[in-house]
Amino acid sequence: QVQLVESGGGLVQVGGSLRLSCAASGLTFSSYAMGWFRQAPGKEREFVGAISWSDGNTYYADSVRGRFTISRDNAKNTVYLQMNRLKLEDTAVYYCAADPWDSGPVIDEYEYWGQGTQVTVSS
């Protein structure tokens, strides 16, 4: 019954920005850390960033730190990923996920996953 629904993906030029949203339902949103992952064609799914449920701390992969920002609005059961200064290598399907253990980049700890939204960065 838990659902995570991503939106906001699309086509953007190098150097541009996109804001992804993930709306959650069927869970106590404030009790879950929320993570963003991405998967490029032919590649393994990789950690992008996360925001904790316990203290609001954020965690980022080195490849996106300083360009991407994660935030959450518990009143709206929504987590966001603001992506700035996009690069060609940011092209991927982006997934949000919910983690009851606040485990950061540990992919196996995430209990629920969204369907993904495509982000394509073009030159």
Side-chain angles (χ1 to χ4, degrees), residues 13-82:
Q13 291 184 335
V14 169
S17 298
L18 281 175
R19 185 188 187 224
L20 305 184
S21 299
C22 173
S25 61
L27 79 170
T28 303
F29 183 75
S30 61
S31 296
Y32 286 81
M34 299 298 298
W36 286 96
F37 295 78
R38 66 187 183 186
Q39 188 166 20
K43 303 294 182 64
E44 297 291 326
R45 191 170 299 185
E46 66 175 356
F47 173 75
V48 175
I51 184 166
S52 72
W53 61 265
S54 58
D55 55 15
N57 285 345
T58 54
Y59 313 87
Y60 298 99
D62 289 343
S63 59
V64 306
R65 187 177 294 110
R67 299 188 298 119
F68 292 9
T69 302
I70 296 170
S71 61
R72 66 190 296 165
D73 186 339
N74 287 348
K76 296 181 178 180
N77 287 358
T78 301
V79 63
Y80 305 95
L81 182 67
Q82 178 66 48

